[in-house]
Amino acid sequence: MDFATLVPITGTIWNMDSGEDCCSKMITLRTGDGSTVNFIVTQETVVINSRQLRPGMRIAAFYDSSLPVPLIYPPQYRAQLVTVLGRNEQIMLNYFDSSLTATDGSLRLNLERTTNIETINGQEFTCDLGNQPLLVYYTETTRSIPPQTTPRRIVVLCGRGF
């Protein structure tokens, strides 16, 4: 799977039920505009830091937009990647070049010593961040073109299919 087809939906977990089997969960998310979206979280879903998800948590759930979905309301997607977000925190999953600019020019990263940089399994990442797919957690950006931010956290998706 190409990470470029992953689309995030951000919201608060409203409800959690058993999914199709004992190893999956159906999560009902309430988005910022008040709409409802359902996500199926399976044993194949990557949950950053293996956090236990609970109602009331603010999360970003990424689904693969290249896969078919049932035409039902509320929409229902199979989550590929889920991460817990802090208050007012935004997230971006993109490929960043050697200057740490997203390939679509939508964000440029300015690193500080306080930026937590790790791999998807929580290990410290000490190599060059350039030319990698990165999951970036941030709160504010400049109004420049491209917008710039000093992220709180970066998860490097080392060689992952997304």
Side-chain angles (χ1 to χ4, degrees), residues 12 18 30 43 45 58 96 98 105 115 135 152 158 162:
T12 302
S18 294
R30 179 74 45 98
Q43 62 273 16
T45 303
R58 187 168 172 267
F96 287 80
S98 59
T115 302
L135 185 60
R152 174 186 70 84
C158 302
F162 47 39

Side-chain angles (χ1 to χ4, degrees), residues 49-111:
N49 288 5
S50 299
R51 295 276 306 265
Q52 183 176 356
L53 304 175
R54 292 190 284 283
M57 285 182 151
R58 187 168 172 267
I59 66 167
F62 291 80
Y63 69 93
D64 187 345
S65 63
S66 69
L67 296 177
V69 294
L71 295 174
I72 58 174
Y73 184 82
Q76 179 176 302
Y77 304 102
R78 192 167 291 277
Q80 303 296 318
L81 177 71
V82 176
T83 187
V84 177
L85 300 176
R87 186 179 215 179
N88 299 321
E89 194 164 50
Q90 298 179 58
I91 195 161
M92 174 184 277
L93 173 59
N94 210 319
Y95 187 86
F96 287 80
D97 65 17
S98 59
S99 69
L100 297 182
T101 302
T103 54
D104 61 2
S106 61
L107 191 65
R108 183 177 179 135
L109 307 180
N110 298 317
L111 302 180

Side-chain angles (χ1 to χ4, degrees), residues 1 20-21 23-25 40-47 62 67 78-82 120 160 162:
M1 168 191 1
E20 301 164 346
D21 58 34
C23 294
S24 65
K25 293 282 185 192
I40 299 170
V41 175
T42 69
Q43 62 273 16
E44 286 137 18
T45 303
V46 174
V47 179
F62 291 80
L67 296 177
R78 192 167 291 277
Q80 303 296 318
L81 177 71
V82 176
I120 200 163
R160 298 289 295 205
F162 47 39

